[in-house]
Amino acid sequence: MRFAGKVAVVTGSGREGGLGEAIARRLSEEGAKVVISDIGTSRDASTPDAMIGSTDEMKRIADAMPSEATTFACDVRDPAQVEALADHAVETFGSLDIWVNNAGIGYIMKPLVDVSVDDWRAVIDVNLNGAWFGLQAAAKRMIAAGKGGRIINVASQAAKSGFPHAQAYSSSKHALVGLVRSASIELGPEGITVNNVCPNHVTTGLGKWQNEHFAEVQGISVEEYLKRMAARIPMGRPGLPQDTASAIAFLCSDEAIYITGESMNVSGGEEPH
């Protein structure tokens, strides 16, 4: 129970079977009180119902957590809503010790010449601006409490390498590397660590869509696409949600007190730098 008495917020954790749910569950299993947060309802064309965590899903996920949990609908593109999310954690559970920026758009994938301005802005708004708003909101409350804290961004293998059809996505994730390097310098004296985790492909609901998309782009079956993916990974398989959840749990623990400003690969050896 490494996180007994701790309070954690996980954005983008409202999809059943999603990466955010796995992260929240792992922290909850080890005693943390968790805030399950997602956008709740579609707000525009860039947040379709099929790709977001609904209000009902959030409630089901929270009800199934091993430790105490609550829900809060938040569009991370809006700093006021992110501030309200941080306030909700403190007002409900009394503190804010762990903040995981997991919300992201990984379903706008197009050839470079077909990417619209709206596409670009949608991805940057969620993946980069949303992480920045979360980091800032969490840091302010952690500094005020004077107990330190853990802030973690779910970046991606795309924070280290480029991929076709993922110009905005890769740019947003690369930017998170610079963000944690700078933020960790400022927040280190406050006892707050700031890190990224960089998983390779994880077949959640979003991952399934990506498999189908890139298989179609390459003119091969999904089965063949997955076979080729596994062949280039030294560990012989894509990532699982619990792989990333375990890495985050470690970075949130006292064992990682001296680790900050890092972008940790969780890729089975596929991403070597």
Side-chain angles (χ1 to χ4, degrees), residues 210-231:
Q210 291 173 339
N211 293 340
E212 293 168 351
H213 173 78
F214 286 109
E216 182 179 359
V217 167
Q218 295 177 31
I220 59 177
S221 68
V222 172
E223 292 73 18
E224 178 62 22
Y225 177 77
L226 291 172
K227 180 179 177 181
R228 294 181 186 182
M229 180 192 299

Side-chain angles (χ1 to χ4, degrees), residues 157-182:
Q157 181 182 14
K160 306 288 187 76
S161 296
F163 294 90
H165 290 213
Q167 310 83 14
Y169 184 80
S170 185
S171 296
S172 69
K173 297 299 186 177
H174 271 69
L176 293 179
V177 176
L179 179 59
V180 302
R181 287 174 175 170
S182 295

Side-chain angles (χ1 to χ4, degrees), residues 97-134:
D97 308 287
I98 297 166
W99 185 286
V100 181
N101 284 311
N102 173 69
I105 288 181
Y107 47 82
I108 297 178
M109 301 282 183
K110 299 178 180 179
L112 185 147
V113 296
D114 295 332
V115 175
S116 70
V117 172
D118 286 344
D119 292 333
W120 178 270
R121 286 177 174 163
V123 176
I124 298 299
D125 271 351
V126 174
N127 295 4
L128 177 57
N129 296 343
W132 160 245
F133 297 147

Side-chain angles (χ1 to χ4, degrees), residues 47-243:
T47 56
D49 287 329
M51 293 296 183
I52 63 171
S54 70
T55 301
D56 289 342
E57 277 185 294
M58 284 194 285
K59 186 177 186 307
R60 289 195 297 268
I61 290 169
D63 288 346
M65 285 291 123
S67 297
E68 196 172 351
T70 184
T71 65
F72 194 89
C74 175
D75 184 341
V76 299
R77 298 173 295 184
D78 181 352
Q81 292 187 42
V82 178
E83 291 285 338
L85 170 59
D87 284 338
H88 174 79
V90 175
E91 292 165 3
T92 303
F93 294 131
S95 66
L96 177 56
D97 308 287
I98 297 166
W99 185 286
V100 181
N101 284 311
N102 173 69
I105 288 181
Y107 47 82
I108 297 178
M109 301 282 183
K110 299 178 180 179
L112 185 147
V113 296
D114 295 332
V115 175
S116 70
V117 172
D118 286 344
D119 292 333
W120 178 270
R121 286 177 174 163
V123 176
I124 298 299
D125 271 351
V126 174
N127 295 4
L128 177 57
N129 296 343
W132 160 245
F133 297 147
L135 190 158
Q136 187 180 56
K140 287 190 289 188
R141 286 151 184 85
M142 291 174 181
I143 291 169
K147 300 186 301 177
R150 302 284 187 270
I151 301 173
I152 298 169
N153 300 317
V154 178
S156 167
Q157 181 182 14
K160 306 288 187 76
S161 296
F163 294 90
H165 290 213
Q167 310 83 14
Y169 184 80
S170 185
S171 296
S172 69
K173 297 299 186 177
H174 271 69
L176 293 179
V177 176
L179 179 59
V180 302
R181 287 174 175 170
S182 295
S184 63
I185 295 169
E186 291 192 49
L187 297 179
E190 304 290 343
I192 301 168
T193 64
V194 190
N195 292 290
N196 292 321
V197 292
C198 301
N200 62 346
H201 179 79
V202 181
T203 301
T204 57
L206 171 60
K208 181 176 181 294
W209 178 90
Q210 291 173 339
N211 293 340
E212 293 168 351
H213 173 78
F214 286 109
E216 182 179 359
V217 167
Q218 295 177 31
I220 59 177
S221 68
V222 172
E223 292 73 18
E224 178 62 22
Y225 177 77
L226 291 172
K227 180 179 177 181
R228 294 181 186 182
M229 180 192 299
R232 66 175 183 259
I233 301 171
M235 296 297 291
R237 63 166 176 84
L240 301 173
Q242 54 264 39
D243 296 323

